[in-house]
Amino acid sequence: MEGDLALRLRVFDLNCWAIRYLSKRRQERIRLIGDMLCQEDFDLVLLQEVWSERDYNDLNVKLGGCYPFSHYFRSGVIGSGLCVFSRFPILDTLLYQYSLNGYPYMLQHGDWFCGKSVGLALAWKSVSLLPCSHQLHAEYCREKDAYLPHRLVQAWELAQFIRHTSKAADVVLLGGDLNMHPEDVGIRLLCGWTGLRDAFAEATHFEGCEDGCTLVPNNCFTDKSELLPFPLGIRIDYILYKAISSFMVKCEELKTTTGAAPGMDVPFSDHEAVMATLHIQRQGQAVGAPLTSAEPMLADVLTEARTEVGVGLRAAQQQRYSSGRMALLALLLLLLQAMAALGALAGLDAGPFPKLSFCLLAFLAIGILLLATGLHLFHTMEVKMLHSTEEQMRMVLRMLQERP
Amino acid sequence: MEGDLALRLRVFDLNCWAIRYLSKRRQERIRLIGDMLCQEDFDLVLLQEVWSERDYNDLNVKLGGCYPFSHYFRSGVIGSGLCVFSRFPILDTLLYQYSLNGYPYMLQHGDWFCGKSVGLALAWKSVSLLPCSHQLHAEYCREKDAYLPHRLVQAWELAQFIRHTSKAADVVLLGGDLNMHPEDVGIRLLCGWTGLRDAFAEATHFEGCEDGCTLVPNNCFTDKSELLPFPLGIRIDYILYKAISSFMVKCEELKTTTGAAPGMDVPFSDHEAVMATLHIQRQGQAVGAPLTSAEPMLADVLTEARTEVGVGLRAAQQQRYSSGRMALLALLLLLLQAMAALGALAGLDAGPFPKLSFCLLAFLAIGILLLATGLHLFHTMEVKMLHSTEEQMRMVLRMLQERP
């Protein structure tokens, strides 16, 4: 981009809710999304929850003409669900999988199996763009949110990832389902520590669901009972951005879909899509990092986040201890049984204990031993990552406080 | 660093082999390493295989005076084993855990439990340094190296991580145990794709084990039988570096330890330490990426690496298929048993099958079902990551070929 030329960039973001066999009218909706993206002329499309590679391939075939560049990020058992379509060449990609993402035994939530990640693509028009698609752990119960520490670790890792990878980019774009309300500590942490700006808050012109909500009762796929405390819905999908080096970005317009797709009876997804029109312009001098002005607030946010991570750490330590104790007890039971069996073999009286119950008990003990050991290992990892995040936050806090 | 001032940087790298209960004379060696580091005046110390946090804390207490800044990287069940000590302030850290790292059921190798990673610390003197400490999956059998695809995925991820995080640094330093010989495809890939230079190959002056070997028969802790095909030893620990922006780095001197620590009967570790003296200087104009000249060779290396990853991919697909089939068979057996049990309950003749054997068979089937399902999930993840790496390599290859 030479001189004072400007670039207008249209970004589309949607959590597609495309879980095979589980999401309602999935194939029909994927077709609709593809058709709409072909008609509209976005520059960058960031999608989440495209869990099936077949759906991605279908989209890719359909969108090949208008979005010649694309990438699908693979990770975890099911996948990351993330993909990017672009009008500009994608020069390079990198996937960062969050170190914590729920519990493998919470099968009904299933986040653990997804390998939730942030996917980064380096795209090039005349400015280098760093669009990231990402999704954080879902919130299943706002009152007693057992996953808050994990989501905070993810928000922290996402922020650190962006800080470390974005240094040479001109513009950073982050689109995705953060599973956090705008006032939540995780999003304040992410924006405060990276300097990213919320397109909804910055937009000159807005059109769409009230308050920019992206999970609304109007949508026929949303669970109405979950949205009872929020009659307007909630805003958990975001487009965030910042300019680095000598560029300036302004959000000219932000739109969301509002339930059903235009002229159709079915919405694109259970989430609303977020569409931003950004105006990028080179300006004379380099812009300094806007951290300094936000620092006093950042310290408060960091302290709050660190406290929550600390709560999670203590819970994880407790679970590590309980599972370790359970494994030890099962081992003890097995040893006792082995001694009794050896005694019986040596001709000692084994008592009236029937063989069948003896075997069943042994199998039960083995089962508990394996399960408890697995849990112990898992919670050991959890403790390590929570501890590490807490320490990193403490380090940053100290650094902020030491600055004149 | 103003004007043409120069900086002399002394870097120390060692795989400490400090596994609790397993490594010989561990505590004594950790003490020795600490004493030596206090006496010598290195600027940056990159350590691997410090598996116990207590050992790190001991080192930290001892080195606090000479190396006021340090960081320990936590990950996995056991840890990453990585830590950094520095004379310069550590401003920020980031840990990237490799997506593949061996198999959980290979208990005798244990790499899976370590959460092997690359740890990055942003240090600042008058140039911004990006020292990384890292370790890749061990090679247990060179002739039939089952872990080669995993190590190549790690080398690729390491290269991508460095490319994406180093863009704003002045100098990148990478020290660690790569578990690869200098001529191996993984190290050619890493250096070719990042532009990193091998301090041993570039050093003006060298002193130490012949050919710069870091696993030598002279060391009393090494397994002599493993080194039989290599009478001089092997070189698998490296210090790699590159200058970015307008800097120039030269390796003035490279040293390795040679078996026993000076004046002692015990070496620091089963690996030899690598010590480099680097000369960093600002030069007039920015240095372009040295990729262009190496490109024809890089394409060959990428093709070779991609072939090996492809071999791993097919093996993983086969294992995924086998474990899935085994899980299905176990499920079938369980269903048959359930039908027989229901028949017996309904008063049908269950035949002369004794209760005990029936129960044992059911438990066996449940055990196999759980195990095979776990394996199937694990190999599904493995396939995903190998596939993703192969695709990324293909993308880069295409890009290289398309360039004029």
Side-chain angles (χ1 to χ4, degrees):
Chain A
M1 203 158 68
E2 279 159 27
D4 276 341
L5 279 182
L7 173 70
R8 185 156 282 112
L9 195 76
R10 292 194 66 209
V11 185
F12 178 89
D13 170 78
L14 175 64
N15 175 332
C16 295
W17 187 49
I19 315 167
R20 266 171 103 178
Y21 315 118
L22 285 178
S23 298
K24 287 178 198 153
R25 304 171 73 172
R26 189 189 100 246
Q27 286 170 304
E28 185 186 350
R29 290 188 290 107
I30 289 288
R31 258 198 313 278
L32 276 180
I33 292 171
D35 292 340
M36 179 271 299
L37 289 175
C38 270
Q39 284 162 19
E40 300 272 339
D41 56 337
F42 294 106
D43 299 296
L44 276 168
V45 176
L46 309 174
L47 303 181
Q48 302 95 49
E49 292 208 8
V50 183
W51 298 118
S52 147
E53 212 164 325
R54 202 173 296 168
D55 286 341
Y56 165 74
N57 289 333
D58 290 349
L59 277 174
N60 206 12
V61 167
K62 186 172 265 176
L63 300 180
C66 4
Y67 304 88
F69 307 96
S70 68
H71 190 78
Y72 186 69
F73 295 94
R74 290 184 189 84
S75 82
V77 178
I78 304 174
S80 73
L82 308 175
C83 56
V84 179
F85 293 90
S86 164
R87 269 188 213 282
F88 313 137
I90 291 179
L91 301 184
D92 207 347
T93 60
L94 185 66
L95 185 81
Y96 184 94
Q97 197 171 337
Y98 304 122
S99 61
L100 286 181
N101 188 31
Y103 304 98
Y105 49 82
M106 296 301 269
L107 291 174
Q108 76 276 28
H109 293 163
D111 290 65
W112 187 84
F113 293 91
C114 303
K116 289 197 174 169
S117 319
V118 49
L120 172 157
L122 182 63
W124 181 260
K125 163 77 178 165
S126 38
V127 286
S128 69
L129 302 165
L130 205 71
C132 303
S133 192
H134 63 100
Q135 189 182 22
L136 303 193
H137 198 292
E139 179 185 78
Y140 294 98
C141 170
R142 194 160 174 83
E143 286 68 44
K144 211 181 157 186
D145 183 8
Y147 297 111
L148 178 59
H150 282 211
R151 209 177 307 108
L152 280 175
V153 169
Q154 294 182 340
W156 177 255
E157 288 180 350
L158 177 58
Q160 285 289 79
F161 178 76
I162 290 168
R163 282 167 54 86
H164 282 280
T165 53
S166 63
K167 283 178 182 148
D170 295 325
V171 175
V172 179
L173 289 167
L174 188 68
D177 174 7
L178 282 169
N179 275 314
M180 298 190 283
H181 298 212
E183 70 279 8
D184 284 358
V185 55
I187 195 142
R188 285 182 282 133
L189 179 71
L190 175 65
C191 291
W193 188 222
T194 56
L196 284 165
R197 279 141 178 251
D198 181 355
F200 174 74
E202 305 278 328
T204 315
H205 175 74
F206 174 74
E207 204 180 305
C209 297
E210 212 166 325
D211 284 349
C213 292
T214 57
L215 214 60
V216 293
N218 255 353
N219 186 306
C220 64
F221 295 130
T222 52
D223 184 346
K224 305 295 171 286
S225 65
E226 273 182 17
L227 290 177
L228 271 184
F230 309 99
L232 291 178
I234 55 178
R235 184 157 80 91
I236 58 174
D237 298 83
Y238 298 82
I239 290 179
L240 307 173
Y241 61 84
K242 74 166 173 174
I244 305 183
S245 63
S246 55
F247 285 85
M248 202 187 65
V249 187
K250 234 176 66 183
C251 180
E252 288 185 344
E253 189 182 59
L254 191 83
K255 282 186 185 180
T256 72
T257 52
T258 52
M264 297 294 189
D265 67 326
V266 54
F268 293 127
S269 165
D270 62 344
H271 285 241
E272 302 305 320
V274 185
M275 296 157 281
T277 306
L278 303 175
H279 185 256
I280 301 175
Q281 194 165 21
R282 188 197 285 275
Q283 58 182 19
Q285 65 229 45
V287 188
L291 265 186
T292 337
S293 64
E295 263 175 36
M297 234 167 65
L298 179 60
D300 292 346
V301 174
L302 261 169
T303 309
E304 195 180 336
R306 212 189 124 210
T307 310
E308 290 294 348
V309 172
V311 171
L313 177 61
R314 278 182 293 283
Q317 279 167 334
Q318 182 59 43
Q319 280 168 311
R320 179 178 63 172
Y321 172 76
S322 307
S323 51
R325 193 181 48 184
M326 180 69 85
L328 265 182
L329 286 176
L331 191 67
L332 210 68
L333 179 61
L334 268 178
L335 286 178
L336 278 176
Q337 284 203 296
M339 274 163 61
L342 281 176
L345 280 177
L348 294 173
D349 184 19
F353 210 74
K355 253 189 199 167
L356 178 64
S357 312
F358 194 84
C359 277
L360 286 181
L361 194 63
F363 271 109
L364 195 72
I366 292 176
I368 292 177
L369 177 64
L370 289 178
L371 201 77
T373 308
L375 278 181
H376 184 71
L377 293 181
F378 179 81
H379 288 302
T380 302
M381 278 199 260
E382 192 190 5
V383 165
K384 273 211 170 19
M385 297 324 299
L386 285 165
H387 194 173
S388 162
T389 305
E390 207 211 358
E391 208 190 63
Q392 282 179 54
M393 288 176 171
R394 200 177 51 217
M395 193 174 99
V396 173
L397 263 172
R398 208 178 41 217
M399 229 171 58
L400 288 180
Q401 281 153 2
E402 275 171 7
R403 273 196 206 167
Chain B
M1 205 158 66
E2 277 160 28
D4 276 340
L5 281 181
L7 173 71
R8 186 156 282 111
L9 195 74
R10 294 194 65 209
V11 185
F12 177 90
D13 170 77
L14 175 64
N15 176 333
C16 296
W17 187 50
I19 315 168
R20 268 170 102 177
Y21 316 118
L22 285 179
S23 299
K24 287 176 199 153
R25 303 172 72 173
R26 190 189 99 245
Q27 286 171 305
E28 186 187 349
R29 290 188 292 105
I30 290 287
R31 258 198 313 275
L32 276 180
I33 293 171
D35 291 341
M36 179 270 300
L37 288 175
C38 271
Q39 283 161 21
E40 299 271 339
D41 57 337
F42 294 106
D43 298 299
L44 277 168
V45 175
L46 309 173
L47 302 181
Q48 302 96 49
E49 292 210 5
V50 183
W51 297 118
S52 146
E53 212 165 324
R54 204 174 296 168
D55 286 341
Y56 165 73
N57 288 333
D58 289 349
L59 276 174
N60 206 13
V61 168
K62 186 173 265 178
L63 299 179
C66 3
Y67 303 88
F69 307 97
S70 69
H71 190 78
Y72 186 69
F73 295 95
R74 290 184 189 83
S75 83
V77 178
I78 304 174
S80 72
L82 309 175
C83 55
V84 180
F85 292 90
S86 163
R87 269 189 214 281
F88 314 138
I90 292 179
L91 301 182
D92 208 346
T93 61
L94 185 67
L95 185 82
Y96 184 94
Q97 197 172 338
Y98 304 123
S99 62
L100 287 181
N101 188 33
Y103 304 99
Y105 49 83
M106 296 301 267
L107 290 176
Q108 76 276 29
H109 293 163
D111 290 65
W112 187 83
F113 292 92
C114 303
K116 289 199 173 166
S117 320
V118 49
L120 172 158
L122 183 63
W124 181 262
K125 162 81 179 160
S126 39
V127 288
S128 69
L129 302 166
L130 207 69
C132 303
S133 190
H134 63 97
Q135 189 182 22
L136 303 193
H137 198 293
E139 180 186 77
Y140 295 97
C141 170
R142 194 160 175 81
E143 286 67 48
K144 211 181 157 188
D145 183 10
Y147 297 111
L148 178 60
H150 283 210
R151 210 177 307 108
L152 279 175
V153 169
Q154 294 182 342
W156 176 254
E157 289 180 349
L158 177 58
Q160 285 288 81
F161 178 77
I162 290 168
R163 282 167 54 84
H164 282 280
T165 53
S166 64
K167 283 177 181 146
D170 295 325
V171 174
V172 179
L173 289 167
L174 188 67
D177 173 8
L178 281 168
N179 275 314
M180 297 190 286
H181 298 213
E183 70 279 9
D184 284 359
V185 56
I187 195 143
R188 285 182 282 134
L189 178 72
L190 176 64
C191 290
W193 188 223
T194 56
L196 283 166
R197 281 140 176 250
D198 182 356
F200 174 74
E202 304 278 330
T204 315
H205 175 74
F206 173 75
E207 203 181 306
C209 297
E210 212 166 325
D211 284 351
C213 291
T214 57
L215 215 58
V216 293
N218 255 353
N219 187 306
C220 64
F221 295 129
T222 53
D223 183 348
K224 306 295 172 284
S225 65
E226 273 182 15
L227 290 176
L228 270 184
F230 310 99
L232 291 177
I234 56 178
R235 184 158 79 91
I236 58 174
D237 298 82
Y238 298 82
I239 290 179
L240 308 173
Y241 62 84
K242 74 167 174 173
I244 305 181
S245 63
S246 55
F247 285 86
M248 202 187 66
V249 188
K250 234 176 65 183
C251 181
E252 288 185 345
E253 189 182 57
L254 192 81
K255 284 187 184 178
T256 71
T257 51
T258 52
M264 297 294 189
D265 67 325
V266 53
F268 292 128
S269 164
D270 62 343
H271 286 243
E272 301 305 321
V274 185
M275 295 157 282
T277 306
L278 303 175
H279 185 255
I280 302 175
Q281 192 164 24
R282 188 197 285 276
Q283 58 181 19
Q285 65 227 46
V287 188
L291 264 184
T292 338
S293 64
E295 262 174 36
M297 233 167 65
L298 180 60
D300 293 345
V301 174
L302 262 169
T303 309
E304 195 181 336
R306 211 188 125 212
T307 310
E308 289 294 348
V309 172
V311 171
L313 176 61
R314 279 183 293 284
Q317 280 167 334
Q318 183 57 45
Q319 281 168 311
R320 180 179 61 171
Y321 172 75
S322 307
S323 51
R325 193 181 49 185
M326 181 67 87
L328 265 182
L329 286 177
L331 191 66
L332 211 68
L333 180 61
L334 268 179
L335 287 177
L336 279 176
Q337 283 203 297
M339 275 162 60
L342 282 176
L345 279 177
L348 294 173
D349 185 18
F353 208 72
K355 251 189 198 168
L356 180 63
S357 314
F358 193 84
C359 276
L360 285 182
L361 194 64
F363 271 108
L364 195 71
I366 292 176
I368 292 177
L369 177 63
L370 289 179
L371 201 75
T373 308
L375 278 180
H376 184 71
L377 292 181
F378 179 81
H379 289 300
T380 303
M381 277 198 263
E382 192 189 5
V383 165
K384 274 213 169 20
M385 296 325 298
L386 287 164
H387 193 173
S388 164
T389 305
E390 206 210 0
E391 209 190 62
Q392 281 178 53
M393 288 175 170
R394 200 177 52 218
M395 193 173 98
V396 173
L397 263 171
R398 209 179 40 218
M399 231 171 57
L400 288 179
Q401 281 153 3
E402 275 172 7
R403 273 196 207 169

